[in-house]
Amino acid sequence: MAPADHRITLLGKPGCHLCDDARAVVERVAGELGVPWEERDITASPEDQAEYWEMIPVVLVDGVQHTYWRVDEARLRAALAR
């Protein structure tokens, strides 16, 4: 699977400094590898809020939880290389 065949979802909320840090990593990696990504505000979904409130930011790769709190750039790149 090529990196561009994956999809990254960043779950966060407004005013979250860790989310800002995660966004910077996701933007950089996704941009360099040509991977589509989206950001979802968990405060807009009661389900997301219930599931992820204490873990944000959360990064999903292809809809599967990849990491939370801190995004390790090398680990994200490795996941997208599979």
Side-chain angles (χ1 to χ4, degrees):
M1 183 178 255
D5 294 332
H6 292 286
R7 179 168 198 81
I8 302 169
T9 305
L10 173 62
L11 304 174
K13 69 174 187 158
C16 166
H17 72 280
L18 289 177
C19 300
D20 295 339
D21 295 346
R23 183 181 309 104
V25 173
V26 168
E27 282 180 335
R28 180 172 50 253
V29 171
E32 289 175 10
L33 298 178
V35 177
W37 74 281
E38 66 178 340
E39 188 167 357
R40 233 168 50 207
D41 177 357
I42 67 164
T43 64
S45 163
E47 294 82 17
D48 283 349
Q49 232 173 294
E51 186 167 351
Y52 299 111
W53 184 258
E54 294 190 18
M55 295 190 301
I56 60 167
V58 175
V59 174
L60 309 177
V61 173
D62 300 327
V64 177
Q65 186 175 323
H66 169 72
T67 194
Y68 61 96
W69 291 338
R70 301 271 182 201
V71 181
D72 181 286
E73 186 170 336
R75 186 169 174 261
L76 180 57
R77 287 180 184 278
L80 297 169
R82 294 183 207 148

